[in-house]
Amino acid sequence: MRLTSLDEMSETLGLRLGQGLAEARAIHPSVEVVDENPAADRSLLEAIADWCDRYTPLVAIDGEKGLLLDITGCAHLFGGEELLLNDVMLRLFQMGFDARGAISGWPGLSWAVCRFGHGGVVADRERETIAAPLPVAALRLEQDLVGALRKLGLKRIGDILPLPRAPLARRFGAQVLLRLDQMMGRVEEPISPRRPVPVLSCERRLLEPIRAEEDILHLAGQVALLLLPSLEARGAGGRVFELVLFRVDGKVFRIEAGASQPLREPQRIAALFSERLKAVHDDLDAGFGFEILRLNVLRHEDFRSTQTDFEGQGQQAASLGDFVDRVSARLGCHVLQGVALRQSHVPERASVFLPALDMPAASKRDDLHLGFQIRNRPVRLFRYPERVEAVAEVPDGPPFRFRWRRILHEVLRAEGPERISPEWWLDEEDPGERDYFRLEVRTGQRLWLYRKGHYHQDTAPGWYVQGVFA
């Protein structure tokens, strides 16, 4: 067992990372040791990353102990880069964390200054002056490569900067030059945020924290009103919204709600979260209150304004959409489902059940093209075709009689066949063509049967019931 992390007191006692536990206790017998829990450490780092969303939506996790924040265009909201960094460090210190931060134009330089320097804001003209005294380990290189550089006396970044690039690349590889260029700003290094960036976002920072659900919903409606001009300018309405609540102690709650149709109205958006707050009431611990409330639009679609006619058809459509939104927000998105068409000719694969919130908008459903007449399909389609024993005219005639569910049926009328072949682009072991017949039996039932395969000298095709018309 070895030491993986140390506090300041342990460092003053002469302990070091990677040291054996037995050796550490021999040096200081009363040292307090806690088992490492990587899952808990990762969860804590993700919680801090959620908290950092108050400064910028572009937050990335860097390794096991670091975060990268892209604050481009955000620093002026806090009075400048220096004040932003001071605010981050002060709040983390008040929450009990010993953290170090740096701001520069390049992630590699900020990473190095945080871990091997004193932190702070690094100006563009100071990058070489700040980077030169840092050790070569600040280049984010592997340990073997760092050891090889040190053996040749290249212990500082300032020792590498004046060297010719070609011999350096031949001796140590291109990784050294890449990391050096990233630190000096010669090569762009993008940051991959851990969460998708919302399409639109508005927030409200509060002087006094709020705790009551009524206050949260009231502010959600006000923030939704701020989103209205942006949605109108795009000609769009939101389909998926996210309400982010920042608690005073740093805890962040994210509540997501979807809509069956694109929404702009602040009242309806707030009503979505009214149902969601009722559903998550027990899990939403306000604590000492929330100091920041943010409303994000995660997904939007084209918004088409419709005028209500004299018969109230528009009001009925709106009430149906409002019902779907409220029930899905309260009980879950899978409670209400609808049928959507798929690109398949096979009946049991031609449609799929989707949550009502994920169904296309009403304006788009009108454009869907059905490849068959609705009247030619049964009212009830079985989930799985049922095997029957049939006597039919060879080779392509309909059945005369068949036994289904232990009952013998005699056919009075038949229509068909209608041949349906599976998709040619699917690589199936037994695709098989199907010849469908619409049959009326003596008892009055109208069934949809199909023959899979063809009659051969040694084998006979199989007959199946796909559905019933009435």
Side-chain angles (χ1 to χ4, degrees), residues 20-293:
L21 179 58
E23 182 182 354
R25 283 178 171 167
I27 297 175
H28 194 79
S30 61
V31 64
E32 183 180 355
V33 181
V34 180
D35 292 338
E36 183 184 19
N37 190 342
D41 294 341
R42 182 72 176 188
S43 178
L44 176 61
L45 188 61
E46 290 180 351
I48 300 175
D50 285 337
W51 175 83
C52 288
D53 281 351
R54 64 177 57 213
Y55 299 103
T56 173
L58 303 177
V59 180
I61 294 181
D62 179 53
E64 299 178 354
K65 301 180 181 180
L67 297 173
L68 286 174
L69 281 68
D70 188 349
I71 61 171
T72 304
C74 302
H76 70 281
L77 301 176
F78 302 89
E81 297 178 348
E82 189 74 30
L83 294 179
L84 188 151
L85 182 60
N86 293 338
D87 185 72
V88 174
M89 295 297 102
L90 178 60
R91 290 177 179 269
L92 290 176
F93 177 78
Q94 292 174 349
M95 289 189 291
F97 295 105
D98 182 14
R100 185 179 298 171
I103 296 179
S104 71
W106 306 275
L109 183 57
S110 299
W111 188 94
V113 173
C114 281
R115 288 163 174 77
F116 298 94
H118 300 287
V121 179
V122 180
D124 294 350
R125 61 181 182 275
E126 299 176 349
R127 61 178 184 271
E128 293 188 6
T129 305
I130 298 296
L134 299 179
V136 292
L139 289 175
R140 298 176 293 173
L141 301 173
E142 298 179 357
Q143 293 296 329
D144 296 341
L145 193 55
V146 172
L149 291 170
R150 288 177 176 175
K151 288 181 181 179
L152 295 180
L154 304 176
K155 300 180 180 180
R156 305 289 178 183
I157 297 178
D159 301 333
I160 302 177
L161 287 175
L163 295 179
R165 296 174 61 89
L168 193 64
R170 286 196 300 267
R171 182 68 178 271
F172 301 102
Q175 188 70 12
V176 176
L177 296 181
L178 175 62
R179 292 301 189 185
L180 187 63
D181 291 341
Q182 289 176 345
M183 178 180 288
M184 295 294 103
R186 301 166 187 158
V187 176
E188 191 71 21
E189 184 179 2
I191 294 178
S192 299
R194 53 190 294 268
R195 291 183 177 275
V197 181
V199 180
L200 294 172
S201 178
C202 283
E203 69 178 31
R204 179 68 63 85
R205 295 178 180 266
L206 308 174
L207 296 177
E208 293 292 336
I210 59 174
R211 301 180 69 253
E213 292 186 5
E214 295 79 6
D215 297 335
I216 295 175
L217 293 176
H218 177 69
L219 283 176
Q222 291 184 352
V223 177
L225 186 61
L226 299 177
L227 287 174
L228 184 58
S230 299
L231 291 173
E232 291 178 346
R234 293 169 176 257
R239 285 293 301 270
V240 180
F241 300 89
E242 183 186 42
L243 182 65
V244 187
L245 303 173
F246 294 83
R247 206 166 64 182
V248 174
D249 61 352
K251 179 70 175 178
V252 180
F253 294 90
R254 298 179 182 272
I255 304 174
E256 187 173 314
S260 59
Q261 297 179 351
L263 294 184
R264 286 182 183 175
E265 298 82 357
Q267 295 80 7
R268 294 190 61 184
I269 297 175
L272 294 178
F273 291 104
S274 174
E275 299 297 334
R276 291 294 296 134
L277 289 178
K278 293 178 182 178
V280 302
H281 181 272
D282 296 336
D283 298 331
L284 186 63
D285 183 10
F288 292 102
F290 302 104
E291 59 180 349
I292 300 177
L293 185 145

Side-chain angles (χ1 to χ4, degrees), residues 408-429:
L408 184 63
H409 298 274
E410 184 177 351
V411 179
L412 296 182
R413 298 178 180 84
E415 295 180 359
E418 176 189 357
R419 177 159 296 180
I420 297 179
S421 300
E423 298 81 1
W424 60 266
W425 58 86
L426 296 181
D427 187 12
E428 298 183 355
E429 296 181 358

Side-chain angles (χ1 to χ4, degrees), residues 307-313:
Q307 182 177 356
T308 304
D309 55 18
F310 292 107
E311 297 180 357
Q313 297 294 331

Side-chain angles (χ1 to χ4, degrees), residues 311-418:
E311 297 180 357
Q313 297 294 331
Q315 295 180 359
Q316 294 179 5
S319 62
L320 176 61
D322 184 65
F323 170 77
V324 172
D325 297 341
R326 294 173 66 89
V327 173
S328 300
R330 182 70 178 274
L331 303 178
C333 61
H334 296 285
V335 173
L336 298 178
Q337 295 186 342
V339 180
L341 296 180
R342 298 178 61 185
Q343 297 294 334
S344 177
H345 304 294
V346 182
E348 62 266 24
R349 297 202 301 246
S351 61
V352 62
F353 282 95
L354 294 177
L357 294 180
D358 295 337
M359 294 290 293
S363 59
K364 294 184 178 180
R365 286 200 295 266
D366 299 337
D367 299 334
L368 293 177
H369 174 69
L370 302 180
F372 51 83
Q373 297 294 330
I374 298 298
R375 63 178 180 270
N376 293 335
R377 292 296 181 257
V379 177
R380 180 187 177 191
L381 194 68
F382 297 153
R383 183 180 297 270
Y384 301 103
E386 299 182 6
R387 185 69 181 263
V388 299
E389 299 175 2
V391 178
E393 180 182 355
V394 179
D396 298 325
F400 298 132
R401 63 181 63 89
F402 60 91
R403 187 181 300 276
W404 175 48
R405 295 180 178 177
R406 300 182 181 181
I407 300 177
L408 184 63
H409 298 274
E410 184 177 351
V411 179
L412 296 182
R413 298 178 180 84
E415 295 180 359
E418 176 189 357

